[in-house]
Amino acid sequence: RLVMFIGEPLSRDVVDRFHGRAPAATVVNLYGTTETQRASGHHVLTRGPGAPDRSIVPLGRGIPGTQLVVRTGGGADAGLGEVGEIWMRSHHLALGYLGLRDETEQRFLPTPGSGEPTDRMYRTGDLGRYLPDGSVQFVGRADDQVQLRGFRIELGDVRSAVCAHPAVADAVVVIRDDHAGDPSLVAYVVATDGVMPSSGDLMAFMRQRVPTHMIPPAFVEIATIPRTPNGKLDQRALPEPSGGTVHEGQAARDSLEHLLVELWQDVLGRRPVGIHDNFFDLGGYSLLATRLFALIEDATGHRVPVATLFQSPTIAELAETIRDSGWSTKWSSLVPISPGGSRTPLFYVGSYLISILQLAHLGDELGSDQPLYGLQPRGLDGTEPPAERIEDMAAHYISEMRTAQPHGPYLLGGHCSGSWVAFEVARQLEASGDEVAGVLLVDLGPPGVERPEISPWRYAWHRLKFFRDDRRLWPALIWQLKIAFNRILLRRVGREEVRNMSAVQAAHHRAHRSYRGGDVACDLVLIRTQETIALGDRGWFLRWDERTSGALHVPDPVVGIHSDLLEQPNVQVLAATMRSAIDALPSMCGRAETS
């Protein structure tokens, strides 16, 4: 009549199989540790739908007299859906670890504000998140949390996504160094019927469930999960990922595709690469793309704009674009990132310190119905000098925008320093009689408004404290070192591209120092990061209301830091915030005319 499971994460399909044998039984998922003296969390299950479901059953809530609490790395209570460590609050905890005073003090703590000596909290080392009903869901062990290119990744979440594939019976996900010495995810898969799905199928399946940075680039078939005598995963018994082979349909078909395959493999540091693999899905980012296209130019003598990757992100598509254009693909300031969709197009100006390619994930996350165009500065291709005034940049961008959207209302956006250029575009459009629906301003204060003076030391302290409290200081430093290393490599293979980029950045820096702005009548939307609101001059960002006679909308701060807003998973929150803000703009009831 009553069945209780405890000790391991419980999946729904196990419960459904049990109910197939004992349909009237009440099944309870219990949660507890040796240190908590007894089971402290519980979740009562009902009959499932009968379909296979490998999702993990919630831990539920604490039994009477106990409480399950999820806290972030900084010690604050986690928000809904936010992953943190599970703490157990109870009067029935162990006194501590015999002879291990330091560890006892780290794991057993008094409950803040309680004042009762026996009311204490225990840090379980398990990771979980709050569900909408207030119960807690287990997502993995803290020691299963890894850092990869600045992102915190729960290996348990990745495994759950792999195991959701109907052809996968079981899986384990680990992080290993690839042949180039870079850490990457590897998924070891046990097939359901002995038939292993292709890596491409698994990647496509996972792309619908997890962010790109959580998709393993390597999937290795194994017969069973190796275990130690006490039932733990024997990671040393897992085979080394081999170079692998490209399955039929992914192999290069001519000399151009063969060349591109070799260059992609060298730049991305992984083998094999198929002609239908997506550059961004394989972990490619803007610096690697710049290096890749410099190598293409060195090998062929022909220059192709890096922004071509937006429309041709695979080797097959890139090769076809090159063949069709005869190696003479036109460079343009206006880059269609995701031009389809029925909504009013968003013209987005990136920071002069980043590549237009960093908007790739934003285009994906805004949705297929939201057209997105990026605007990149003149001078990057070396054919004409960069603009020295923001007013000139805006005038050029307007002429480019009109080729895609002849008339307003125009929807504009700017990322960091791009916010001032987008603001000037709006000012000039209104001066010419065009309607501007609104401007999205991301993480920058207004021009022509004095910024409070903060000493460099205090500014650095605010940022370091934020990084430390968010447990990302060391990963951020590692990621910056990797970027510096790639810049050094880029200088070796793409000197002209580096000179062009440096000239543009220097010109834009001078332009921003001299720009004083003006006033607009349209609504403005200010989107800030958690890092920004931790700075001492955070009030300056809110003074955009002095630059418009319209309304200033300020959504809740988005997660993450300024430098990784456009990367997964933070770009998902940024995109959702943008869509909500766009929908709330009063001028968005109309539709723009597009060509």
Side-chain angles (χ1 to χ4, degrees):
R1 292 190 298 266
L2 181 65
V3 182
M4 293 171 282
F5 289 85
I6 191 168
E8 292 289 338
L10 179 63
S11 61
R12 168 62 74 169
D13 64 334
V14 171
V15 177
D16 289 343
R17 282 162 50 200
F18 187 87
H19 272 143
R21 298 297 183 95
T26 298
V27 176
V28 182
N29 188 29
L30 296 177
Y31 175 66
T33 69
T34 304
E35 292 87 348
T36 63
Q37 301 291 313
R38 56 180 180 174
S40 297
H42 75 291
H43 176 74
V44 180
L45 291 112
T46 57
R47 288 294 305 271
D53 183 359
R54 296 183 179 89
S55 61
I56 300 301
V57 170
L59 302 177
R61 304 169 181 268
I63 63 175
T66 67
Q67 184 181 6
L68 300 186
V69 180
V70 182
R71 313 193 94 179
T72 65
D77 288 335
L80 180 65
E82 184 179 7
V83 175
E85 184 178 5
I86 301 175
W87 294 46
M88 193 83 75
R89 180 186 178 186
S90 173
H91 290 274
H92 310 291
L93 301 179
L95 298 179
Y97 300 112
L98 184 62
L100 300 174
R101 179 177 178 180
D102 290 345
E103 189 171 352
T104 296
E105 291 178 349
Q106 292 173 5
R107 303 292 290 272
F108 296 86
L109 296 97
T111 299
S114 170
E116 297 184 40
T118 60
D119 186 1
R120 295 182 301 147
M121 303 183 77
Y122 169 69
R123 301 181 59 173
T124 66
D126 290 333
L127 297 173
R129 59 167 66 94
Y130 286 119
L131 298 176
D133 64 357
S135 62
V136 174
Q137 181 181 44
F138 175 84
V139 298
R141 285 286 301 170
D143 48 16
D144 282 342
Q145 185 184 80
V146 298
Q147 298 278 356
L148 188 62
R149 295 202 300 272
F151 295 113
R152 288 198 295 265
I153 297 176
E154 313 298 339
L155 296 181
D157 281 354
V158 182
R159 175 190 175 275
S160 296
V162 176
C163 287
H165 193 287
V168 175
D170 201 357
V172 60
V173 179
V174 300
I175 188 165
R176 307 185 79 142
D177 287 346
D178 60 20
H179 77 277
D182 291 328
S184 63
L185 296 172
V186 179
Y188 293 88
V189 176
V190 179
T192 301
D193 299 316
V195 180
M196 171 76 171
S198 70
S199 295
D201 289 342
L202 287 169
M203 284 185 176
F205 179 81
M206 294 191 66
R207 202 172 294 132
Q208 306 302 317
R209 289 160 174 77
V210 296
T212 302
H213 69 277
M214 291 175 62
I215 300 176
F219 294 86
V220 180
E221 183 177 10
I222 55 177
T224 58
I225 304 294
R227 303 282 181 183
T228 63
N230 63 359
K232 302 289 187 181
L233 170 67
D234 186 0
Q235 187 164 331
R236 291 179 299 180
L238 292 171
E240 285 284 344
S242 62
T245 57
V246 175
H247 62 79
E248 185 178 357
Q250 280 272 16
R253 299 164 294 186
D254 58 25
S255 59
L256 176 57
E257 290 184 352
H258 275 290
L259 171 64
L260 294 178
V261 166
E262 287 300 320
L263 294 179
W264 282 43
Q265 290 178 159
D266 290 343
V267 168
L268 293 170
R270 64 168 25 115
R271 295 176 185 272
V273 171
I275 62 171
H276 299 300
D277 291 335
N278 187 293
F279 178 82
F280 300 105
D281 290 346
L282 294 177
Y285 50 93
S286 58
L287 277 175
L288 291 184
T290 305
R291 184 177 158 214
L292 170 65
F293 278 68
L295 288 171
I296 292 174
E297 182 178 353
D298 285 349
T300 65
H302 297 281
R303 177 176 297 179
V304 181
V306 178
T308 307
L309 270 179
F310 278 123
Q311 305 306 315
S312 307
T314 70
I315 289 173
E317 292 169 331
L318 180 59
E320 183 177 359
T321 298
I322 290 173
R323 293 190 203 99
D324 291 346
S325 64
W327 292 96
S328 59
T329 307
K330 183 178 180 296
W331 191 94
S332 172
S333 286
L334 183 69
V335 179
I337 297 172
S338 50
S342 59
R343 294 162 65 97
T344 301
L346 171 61
F347 295 94
Y348 200 71
V349 185
S351 164
Y352 65 80
L353 293 175
I354 67 173
S355 164
I356 195 75
L357 289 178
Q358 290 184 251
L359 302 181
H361 295 310
L362 181 62
D364 292 337
E365 297 299 338
L366 280 173
S368 59
D369 61 336
Q370 176 60 67
L372 175 65
Y373 291 84
L375 290 162
Q376 60 179 343
R378 285 181 296 180
L380 287 176
D381 64 337
T383 60
E384 50 186 333
E388 295 283 346
R389 300 171 63 245
I390 284 183
E391 291 85 350
D392 296 336
M393 299 174 198
H396 171 64
Y397 287 163
I398 289 173
S399 66
E400 294 274 281
M401 288 164 47
R402 292 194 193 280
T403 64
Q405 181 182 331
H407 309 291
Y410 289 99
L411 179 61
L412 307 168
H415 195 87
C416 186
S417 58
S419 295
W420 287 10
V421 184
F423 177 78
E424 176 62 23
V425 169
R427 195 189 69 79
Q428 292 187 22
L429 283 171
E430 288 185 344
S432 67
D434 272 300
E435 182 184 358
V436 177
V439 188
L440 308 182
L441 309 158
V442 179
D443 232 24
L444 191 70
V449 176
E450 185 178 359
R451 186 173 188 174
E453 185 69 29
I454 294 182
S455 71
W457 289 107
R458 186 181 175 197
Y459 181 81
W461 165 248
H462 277 295
R463 298 197 69 186
L464 287 173
K465 184 176 183 298
F466 176 84
F467 276 95
R468 183 200 64 190
D469 293 345
D470 202 41
R471 293 194 302 173
R472 65 168 75 212
L473 179 58
W474 183 244
L477 291 175
I478 294 294
W479 182 235
Q480 290 300 319
L481 287 173
K482 187 170 183 179
I483 289 177
F485 176 71
N486 276 291
R487 287 189 188 278
I488 293 172
L489 287 179
L490 184 59
R491 289 189 178 94
R492 294 174 63 90
V493 298
R495 298 181 186 88
E496 186 174 353
E497 286 78 5
V498 172
R499 284 197 299 269
N500 295 340
M501 192 182 305
S502 298
V504 168
Q505 291 177 352
H508 278 238
H509 180 67
R510 292 190 296 269
H512 279 75
R513 287 174 64 90
S514 62
Y515 182 62
R516 293 295 175 266
D519 297 316
V520 296
C522 62
D523 283 10
L524 305 178
V525 178
L526 173 62
I527 299 175
R528 301 168 298 161
T529 61
Q530 292 174 331
E531 179 187 13
T532 297
I533 63 172
L535 297 176
D537 60 350
R538 53 187 172 272
W540 170 66
F541 292 78
L542 297 171
R543 295 181 65 183
W544 276 104
D545 60 353
E546 301 176 23
R547 304 275 70 174
T548 180
S549 58
L552 174 63
H553 308 273
V554 185
D556 291 337
V558 295
V559 297
I561 60 176
H562 183 82
S563 61
D564 67 8
L565 259 187
L566 294 171
E567 301 298 330
Q568 295 285 8
N570 297 333
V571 69
Q572 299 176 38
V573 182
L574 175 63
T577 303
M578 283 182 166
R579 282 187 66 99
S580 297
I582 291 171
D583 290 341
L585 290 171
S587 299
M588 292 307 294
C589 57
R591 287 285 180 256
E593 177 188 344
T594 57
S595 62

